[in-house]
Amino acid sequence: QVQLVESGGGLVQAGGSLRLSCAASGRTFTNYAMGWFRQAPGKEREFVATIGWHGGRTFYADSVKGRFTISRDSTKNTVYLRMNSLKPEDTAVYYCATTRGVGSNRSGDYDYWGQGTQVTVSS
């Protein structure tokens, strides 16, 4: 059974940094891309970043480009999201997800999701 477990969320002041981790288990993740999404209260889930599992190709939402970096350690089946220069509008529950192929910015393309980790940025 596929499991995705996020960690690393917390409370941080505006301008600060956090690194989220997503540990994947339950199958071989070769040829599966990973993505990060987030959902703020009262808003729809939105795409943040994605990375190809094998090739490492990355793609970001415009709102986080230049501030967030997605990376992965294939030997550990773990994906990371380094978040710098955090803003109050980055406050949300952050989810990781997996999809077969090259990755997508559409949540419907992902088949497994983690439980989420809360990120709160104070002003």
Side-chain angles (χ1 to χ4, degrees):
Q1 182 174 348
V2 175
Q3 277 196 314
L4 303 176
V5 180
E6 303 98 334
S7 61
L11 173 64
V12 64
Q13 288 189 330
S17 299
L18 283 174
R19 189 181 79 159
L20 306 183
S21 300
C22 173
S25 63
R27 70 178 179 201
T28 300
F29 286 89
T30 303
N31 296 323
Y32 283 82
M34 301 294 291
W36 284 98
F37 289 76
R38 65 187 183 186
Q39 188 167 18
K43 295 188 177 180
E44 293 190 354
R45 191 169 297 188
E46 65 173 358
F47 169 74
V48 175
T50 186
I51 186 168
W53 193 260
H54 186 66
R57 189 176 76 175
T58 59
F59 181 67
Y60 298 90
D62 288 343
S63 59
V64 307
K65 202 173 294 183
R67 299 188 298 123
F68 290 10
T69 302
I70 188 171
S71 62
R72 87 278 188 261
D73 185 338
S74 299
T75 64
K76 297 181 179 179
N77 275 355
T78 299
V79 175
Y80 305 97
L81 185 69
R82 177 68 179 181
M83 306 185 295
N84 295 329
S85 303
L86 282 161
K87 305 174 182 180
E89 51 263 44
D90 294 319
T91 295
V93 177
Y94 283 71
Y95 299 90
C96 70
T98 180
T99 181
R100 189 174 183 85
V102 299
S104 168
N105 61 355
R106 298 186 298 241
S107 61
D109 290 339
Y110 290 78
D111 49 5
Y112 291 98
W113 293 79
Q115 82 289 349
T117 185
Q118 176 71 47
V119 171
T120 303
V121 184
S122 63
S123 57

